[in-house]
Amino acid sequence: MPVSTGQVGALLGVEAVSKSFTRLVDGQTQGVKVLDAIDFEVKAGSTTSLFGPNGCGKTTLLNTIAGLLAPDAGRVRYCGLDPEGPRFGFVFQNYRESLFPWLTASDNIAFPLALRGVGRRERTSRVRELTESLEMALPLDLYPYQLSGGQLQMVAIARALITDPEILLLDEPFSALDYQARLQTQLRVSGILEKVKLTALIVSHDPDEAIFLADDLLVVTNIPARVASRIHVRLDRPRSLDMMESAEFLGYRNSVLKSFREVAL
Amino acid sequence: MRRKNWPLGPAIVLLAWVVLYWGGLVNPLLLPSPWEVFLRLSRGLFSRDLLRDLGATVYRAGAGILLASLIGIPLGAFMGASQRFQRHFGGLVDFFRSIPATAMLPLFMVAFGIGDQTRILLVVFCTSLIMIVNTHAGVRNVSRARLMAARAMGATRWQSLSRVAVMDALPQVFTGFRVSVSLSLIIVVVTEMLIGTSMGLGHRIYEAQLIYNSVEMFAAIILTGCLGAGLNLILDFVEKRHLHWAGR
C-alpha cells in the first residue's frame, strides 16, 4: 500500500547517523569513521541531491538509509511509510555491472518482481504498463549488450520503479554516460520524478546534475562525512535544459562550488 | 547469390592422401586406400557394426558426463560460495585433478571390475573434478556489484545464488563442460583399448591393429574424429544460442 506520496512534511529523517568501518592497516585493524552525525530531512515528493567529493561515504549513507547497513549511532526515521518496511528502489552506480546480461531488457526490469514470485504473465504486462506510462521507447526484447548507455540507464531506472517504491535512491546514476547522453538522461529522469511524484535521493559528483534534479541540495564533506551546507533549489518545475544557462542556475552553481571548495579542497 | 565458401583444408588433406596412396609413396599398412576406407565406413554404418561401436562409446562418455555434471557443478558452486569449504577441500581437488586418468585405471579395475562401470566411473572421477574447478572459478568471479544489486532488490541468499551467481558463472561452467566432453571421449576410447569389452570405437581400433587391418582401423579413427567434431559443433551451437551474452 503506497501510504506515502502526497503527504506533507518529512518523509525521511536522518538523525545524527554515524558509521565506522574497520580497515586492516599494517596487520592492525583501524576504525575509520565514514559518516559523522549526518542530519537531514527529506520532504515527501521532493528530490534531494547529495553532492560531495569522491569516496566521501555517500554510498554508505544510501545503504544505511535503505537499511542494508545498520548505523553505529543515530537513526533513520521513516514517516508514514509501509509499516512492513519502507519500499526502496535502487539505481546503482554502474548499470553495466548491475544489470543482468543474461536477461532481456524486459526481464531485467521485471527482476525484482520475479524475486517476489510474481508470475511471468503479470510481470510482462507490468513492464509494458510502466515503460508505456513513462514513455520509454525501449526495445524490451533485446539484451543489455545490444542497448546504448542511455537505454541501459532507462532500463535500470524502470527496474527501480517496477516495485512501486516509496523512495528512490540513485547512486551516481549518470556517471557512466557521455555528456550528450547524460544531459538527455537527466532531463528524462527529472521528468519521470516530476510525473510519478516520487521522493528521491540522488548521490552525484556533478554540480550541474545535482542542481538540475534537486529541490534540496546537500553539500557533503570529505570523510568523515558531515553535511556542510544545505541549498534549497527554487528552479521552476518541470525542469528544462535551458534552465542550466540561466543566471539563477549559475547562482546556485556558485554557492555549491564555494561550499564544496571550503570542505573538499 | 554468393557461392558457398567451403574450407580448403579437408580437400587438401584428402588430395594428399589420394596422391600418397596411389603414388605408392607410403606403406599401405600405414596409409590404406582412401576408397576402401570409405567403403568400410559406409558398410559399417549400414550394417550397423561400426554404428554399434559408436553407440557404445557415446553411451559410456555420455553417462559419465551426466553423472559428473550432477556431482561436479553443485560441488563447485558450493565451493565458490563457501570460503571454508574451499579452504578445506580446494587443495584436495587440485591434487586429484593433477593425476592423469590412466594412473587411476588399475585401482578402478580392482575396485569396480572390468565392465562398463569402471570406464564410466573413471570418466566421472576425472571430469567432475574439471567441472568443480571451472564452476568454482565461475562462482568466485561473480560480479559483486550484481550480487549487491540483487541483495538491495530484496533477493534472499538462495535467490542470489540461483538467479545471479549461477547465471553469472554459467559461461565458465559451460567451458568446464566442454573440456569434460573431450576428456571423456579420450578416457572412454583409451579404456576400451585396455580393458575387456566387445564394443566401442577404441576396441575396434585396437582389434584392427592386432590383425593388421588398417582399412578398418582408419575407418574407426575417422568415425571417432567425426564424433568429436560433431559434439563440438553441437556445443558451439548451444553456446551461440544460450550464452551469446557472455563477456559482453
Side-chain angles (χ1 to χ4, degrees):
Chain A
M1 281 286 288
V3 202
S4 58
T5 42
Q7 217 164 12
V8 188
L11 180 73
L12 179 76
V14 177
E15 296 175 348
V17 163
S18 296
K19 179 80 189 168
S20 298
F21 286 109
T22 49
R23 193 173 357 185
L24 213 63
V25 180
D26 298 329
Q28 291 195 321
T29 50
Q30 279 184 353
V32 179
K33 194 160 204 181
V34 181
L35 304 178
D36 184 14
I38 296 267
D39 213 68
F40 67 90
E41 282 187 340
V42 176
K43 282 195 218 65
S46 76
T47 299
T48 302
S49 290
L50 293 166
F51 175 71
N54 208 352
C56 75
K58 289 168 297 194
T59 303
T60 304
L61 181 57
L62 282 194
N63 286 336
T64 308
I65 290 170
L68 295 173
L69 290 175
D72 297 339
R75 64 180 192 134
V76 181
R77 192 168 41 80
Y78 313 101
C79 304
L81 295 181
D82 195 333
E84 310 237 315
R87 297 189 308 272
F88 292 98
F90 255 102
V91 180
F92 301 92
Q93 207 172 110
N94 189 339
Y95 53 79
R96 220 173 263 288
E97 278 274 290
S98 72
L99 291 176
F100 303 113
W102 52 85
L103 297 179
T104 60
S106 172
D107 287 340
N108 261 296
I109 296 171
F111 184 80
L113 298 179
L115 288 180
R116 287 159 180 73
V118 177
R120 166 133 225 124
R121 192 175 279 247
E122 194 190 333
R123 294 203 302 263
T124 319
S125 72
R126 277 178 69 177
V127 168
R128 194 167 313 128
E129 246 169 61
L130 178 72
T131 48
E132 273 169 17
S133 76
L134 299 179
E135 289 162 21
M136 292 177 172
L138 283 172
L140 289 172
D141 293 330
L142 294 189
Y143 287 83
Y145 73 86
Q146 295 165 315
L147 302 180
S148 71
Q151 287 174 321
L152 289 174
Q153 194 52 275
M154 283 299 135
V155 171
I157 287 164
R159 181 176 71 175
L161 294 175
I162 193 80
T163 50
D164 185 25
E166 295 163 307
I167 299 177
L168 189 64
L169 304 174
L170 302 101
D171 189 357
E172 291 174 42
F174 312 110
S175 55
L177 296 174
D178 63 61
Y179 192 62
Q180 186 191 3
R182 182 186 291 218
L183 287 182
Q184 284 165 349
T185 315
Q186 278 168 23
L187 187 63
R188 308 270 325 255
V189 168
S190 92
I192 289 169
L193 291 177
E194 281 156 6
K195 181 165 180 174
V196 297
K197 298 197 170 26
L198 197 60
T199 310
L201 205 56
I202 297 181
V203 161
S204 174
H205 277 160
D206 181 272
D208 293 333
E209 162 186 313
I211 297 164
F212 183 76
L213 294 163
D215 296 302
D216 290 292
L217 190 152
L218 306 177
V219 178
V220 181
T221 66
N222 262 320
I223 63 164
R226 288 175 294 105
V227 176
S229 63
R230 181 184 181 118
I231 294 161
H232 189 53
V233 181
R234 284 171 222 271
L235 295 168
D236 289 343
R237 297 250 177 211
R239 300 275 159 91
S240 61
L241 287 176
D242 57 8
M243 286 179 186
M244 294 176 91
E245 296 142 27
S246 68
E248 206 183 351
F249 192 95
L250 292 177
Y252 288 123
R253 197 169 195 277
N254 286 341
S255 43
V256 169
L257 288 183
K258 181 163 182 286
S259 176
F260 182 77
R261 186 165 46 76
E262 283 163 5
V263 300
L265 301 173
Chain B
M1 214 176 86
R2 251 189 93 228
R3 205 162 52 90
K4 192 156 186 189
N5 227 341
W6 290 98
L8 280 177
I12 291 172
V13 169
L14 198 61
L15 190 71
W17 185 3
V18 168
V19 168
L20 284 173
Y21 177 74
W22 269 288
L25 299 168
V26 182
N27 181 347
L29 207 55
L30 292 178
L31 195 68
S33 149
W35 178 241
E36 278 182 49
V37 169
F38 173 74
L39 283 180
R40 176 69 188 88
L41 251 180
S42 39
R43 192 154 39 81
L45 291 178
F46 285 112
S47 77
R48 303 266 168 85
D49 64 338
L50 281 180
L51 207 58
R52 217 186 48 191
D53 290 324
L54 181 76
T57 302
V58 167
Y59 158 69
R60 290 158 184 159
I65 284 284
L66 191 72
L67 283 172
S69 308
L70 292 178
I71 297 167
I73 294 173
L75 273 182
F78 188 55
M79 205 156 111
S82 158
Q83 287 265 335
R84 185 180 299 168
F85 189 70
Q86 146 68 14
R87 204 177 60 239
H88 288 299
F89 294 96
L92 218 54
V93 168
D94 276 334
F95 171 76
F96 281 117
R97 191 170 57 104
S98 315
I99 303 174
T102 41
M104 298 300 284
L105 182 59
L107 178 63
F108 272 64
M109 280 165 66
V110 172
F112 307 113
I114 54 169
D116 266 358
Q117 68 271 21
T118 299
R119 265 181 283 275
I120 291 173
L121 287 174
L122 195 60
V123 170
V124 171
F125 174 76
C126 294
T127 58
S128 61
L129 289 166
I130 293 178
M131 295 206 213
I132 288 176
V133 168
N134 277 280
T135 307
H136 169 231
V139 171
R140 199 189 43 206
N141 294 330
V142 164
S143 153
R144 293 190 57 188
R146 272 180 210 132
L147 285 177
M148 273 285 290
R151 199 182 141 217
M153 287 185 276
T156 61
R157 227 181 124 74
W158 167 246
Q159 284 174 326
S160 299
L161 184 69
S162 63
R163 286 174 181 269
V164 182
V166 166
M167 287 309 291
D168 216 355
L170 203 57
Q172 179 97 48
V173 174
F174 192 74
T175 302
F177 186 78
R178 286 195 82 143
V179 175
S180 295
V181 167
S182 22
L183 183 69
S184 73
L185 268 191
I186 296 173
I187 293 172
V188 168
V189 169
V190 168
T191 55
E192 282 168 349
M193 293 179 181
L194 295 179
I195 56 179
T197 175
S198 56
M199 279 187 295
L201 290 168
H203 167 74
R204 177 72 61 178
I205 293 168
Y206 194 65
E207 286 250 305
Q209 184 259 333
L210 285 180
I211 55 170
Y212 293 102
N213 186 346
S214 41
V215 170
E216 178 148 312
M217 188 166 73
F218 265 68
I221 289 174
I222 289 174
L223 196 56
T224 310
C226 290
L227 172 60
L231 286 175
N232 218 25
L233 280 180
I234 293 172
L235 293 172
D236 268 346
F237 175 77
V238 171
E239 198 164 2
K240 282 214 181 79
R241 178 99 186 233
H242 295 290
L243 297 172
H244 54 90
W245 47 267
R248 305 175 76 164

